[in-house]
Amino acid sequence: ECTTLSANTVSSSKRMDAPNCCQAFAEEICSHRTVAIDKEACKSWIYPTNYAPREYQVNMCKRALLENTLVCLPTGLGKTLIAAVCMYNYYRWFPQGQILFMAPTRPLVAQQVKACHDAVGFPENETAEMSGSSNSECRRKLWSSKRVFYATPQTVINDLNSGVLN
């Protein structure tokens, strides 16, 4: 069975200037695949205000949007929120790009889906939860038609190895 996710909408958000964002991505080159950046969207980044903003989370988001970043925080201090904010802004900045959020187990994948949707809410028609319990042809269609994916690393590896995901 294929799963398409319901989306919640961000109840409110704060738009922040990101003057170096377009420049930072303009110089990055990927030899395998590139997607165009939306030069207007990348002039700002959005932080949801449906949760009380914590300064350290806002600062980590800002940094993670422009640099490779490893976020190490104790449970409950906002790693998923930081990831969701980054995902949402990349979703805006790269309208033809795809985003993949991986978690080590299916229950954690489901937990992250809910947490990310509660934080930022992606359009339902562009989001999928991928698992090995779905047939490979269904996953192939989802990989080619959706933009935001939640999956276990094993599902991604299996789909890469079998050619379901290119």
Side-chain angles (χ1 to χ4, degrees):
E1 180 181 337
C2 297
T3 305
T4 300
L5 304 172
S6 301
N8 298 325
T9 57
V10 176
S11 58
S12 63
S13 61
K14 182 175 181 182
R15 188 173 299 271
M16 302 183 188
D17 290 334
N20 296 323
C21 150
C22 293
Q23 182 181 2
F25 289 113
E27 297 174 14
E28 187 172 318
I29 296 174
C30 173
S31 61
H32 177 66
R33 180 200 275 193
T34 59
V35 292
I37 190 167
D38 181 322
K39 293 187 190 241
E40 193 58 35
C42 77
K43 290 179 181 176
S44 65
W45 64 286
I46 292 177
Y47 188 89
T49 57
N50 43 340
Y51 294 99
R54 298 177 181 167
E55 186 177 352
Y56 71 91
Q57 291 172 335
V58 173
N59 290 337
M60 287 182 182
C61 288
K62 189 174 183 178
R63 183 158 196 151
L65 286 168
L66 300 176
E67 301 174 19
N68 288 332
T69 306
L70 177 63
V71 176
C72 299
L73 292 171
T75 300
L77 291 183
K79 293 180 295 291
T80 302
L81 175 64
I82 293 165
V85 170
C86 291
M87 290 166 57
Y88 183 72
N89 282 286
Y90 277 102
Y91 175 87
R92 293 176 49 249
W93 294 344
F94 299 96
Q96 302 304 311
Q98 293 179 309
I99 298 164
L100 174 59
F101 188 117
M102 290 192 285
T105 64
R106 287 187 354 202
L108 284 175
V109 168
Q111 179 182 330
Q112 301 309 318
V113 167
K114 181 180 179 345
C116 287
H117 276 38
D118 288 350
V120 296
F122 290 99
E124 173 180 338
N125 63 334
E126 295 194 12
T127 308
E129 182 175 349
M130 311 291 274
S131 75
S133 63
S134 303
N135 74 50
S136 61
E137 193 51 40
C138 178
R139 289 195 316 276
R140 181 186 313 276
K141 289 177 185 174
L142 290 173
W143 285 120
S144 65
S145 64
K146 304 292 181 180
R147 290 193 52 212
V148 181
F149 304 92
Y150 300 87
T152 61
Q154 194 60 56
T155 298
V156 175
I157 289 168
N158 291 346
D159 284 355
L160 285 168
N161 289 338
S162 68
V164 169
L165 173 61
N166 181 1

